[in-house]
Amino acid sequence: MPTPETDLPEVVRIARDLIRFDTTNHGGGRAAGEREAAEYVGAYLESLGLAPEYYEPIPRRTNVAARVPGKDPGKPALVLHGHLDVVPAIAEDWSVDPFAGEIRDGLLWGRGAVDMKDMDAMILTSVADLLRAGEQPERDLVLAFFADEENGGIEGSALVVRDKPDWFAGATEAISEVGGYSIEAAGRRAYLLQTGEKALVWIRLVARGRAAHGSSLHEHNAVTRLGEAVAALGRTEWPVRLTETTTAFADGLAALLDADASDPDALAASMGAASGFLRSTLRTTTNPTGLTAGYKHNVIPDRAEALIDVRTLPGMEEAVLADIRRIVGDDVEVEIVHQDIGLEVPFQGDLVDAMVAALGRHDPGVPVIPYLMGGGTDNKALSALGIAGYGFAPLRLPADLDFTGMFHGVDERVPLDALVFGQRVLTDLIRSY
């Protein structure tokens, strides 16, 4: 039986409504667009007495932001930001309509439930909690909702930072997605606070050969050359390399598991459903994600291409690209499609203390561990303005939910009570920091 509308917490209703906007982003400028979702967010902000501003440098690629005045204008502003686009969802692979925002078994299902319309809703409703109570945050809050994050922010946050830096005047820190959520191992829960992001390097491999009839004996087959290069790169086992963040991450896992920190990969591998996600944070990854070649069954094409999603530890981009060229060989070209920086920020300071304390007030005694995320966020763009970005979308999750596996996965879903928990923690943070 469907849950009555009046019984749904507001944070759930907002997240559900946002999921129902199809903001699919196929990348490369092919996207449904974020305009309707941005207008929905803007209307909500207006209902709170705020004055949202829109920026749409490319038709339908809409960004929206508003500033909440704080009690102390002398304190640096804090940015709370999210993105409104989502990756594609193939409906026939799902148990539910990915854009219906269905509520089932105490969970909200749909594309964006995890990445990241859940956090968008938590940001909006936590600010609403304060303003409706007649309160002000301690400092100015900049609320920003971007387009195109799933394409590296090329048509979203990168353009906003370039053309609308005044939106972020006075801001020195930011919080966004993919951090603050709980993990569990050996019956013990901990929260991961994201204090770093790997660098992003999207590349295209191009193999060339000679076109010929499909029945011929042919030694210069572009598809064969490409296939060998893709297999070699996809099967490369990149070594573990520790940074300041991942060293602290390993120490935190070791303390949680009462284990030795000398083998971080083994520690991450012991984290159940989250192990693949966490192991990727310790090393470079080179995952093939697309293949293009040929136009007829009996024609050997003269060109074949592959897309590879490369994520390196901060500062390792050029060294990894040199390794990739060596692995694929001289016969295969390596083209850079898009490249962005890696980030690391300290697991210390007033904001970190405030985030840890806010979690502690709502889940007492549970440790908070820093980690380096394998993917990326719009914090990369904000860093150009000198803004230090953290991942803090606080969700207390059941131990048997493969939360990290749902990023860009099938049947994406988030527990309703985790959304309510996150809203309360964020409200607590912006009230106290």
Side-chain angles (χ1 to χ4, degrees), residues 89-102:
I90 300 174
E92 53 265 34
D93 294 340
W94 286 55
S95 303
V96 299
D97 180 343
F99 296 104
E102 183 173 330

Side-chain angles (χ1 to χ4, degrees), residues 107 114 118 180-184 189-191 363 393-404 406-407 413-419 421:
L107 298 105
V114 165
D118 57 338
Y181 59 90
S182 67
I183 57 171
E184 191 162 325
R189 184 164 62 250
Y191 289 91
D363 199 355
L395 298 168
R396 184 171 59 195
L397 300 165
D400 60 350
L401 182 70
D402 182 10
F403 178 73
T404 58
M406 282 186 266
F407 283 89
R413 59 199 183 277
V414 64
L416 306 189
D417 58 4
L419 289 171
F421 175 86

Side-chain angles (χ1 to χ4, degrees), residues 152-153 185 197 200 207 220 239 261 276-277 281 313 315 336 347 352 375 379 412 426:
E197 305 180 4
L200 179 155
H220 303 288
F277 185 85
T281 71
L313 297 173
I336 296 175
F347 184 59
V352 170
N379 280 328
E412 193 178 336
L426 280 180

Side-chain angles (χ1 to χ4, degrees), residues 240-242 246-251 253-254 257 260-271 275 278-279 281-283:
V240 170
R241 296 188 186 278
L242 295 184
T246 54
T247 298
F249 166 71
D251 290 341
L253 281 190
L257 299 170
D260 185 351
S262 62
D263 189 347
D265 199 34
L267 289 172
S270 71
M271 298 305 294
S275 61
L278 296 179
R279 291 184 69 205
T281 71
L282 303 172
R283 49 169 58 81

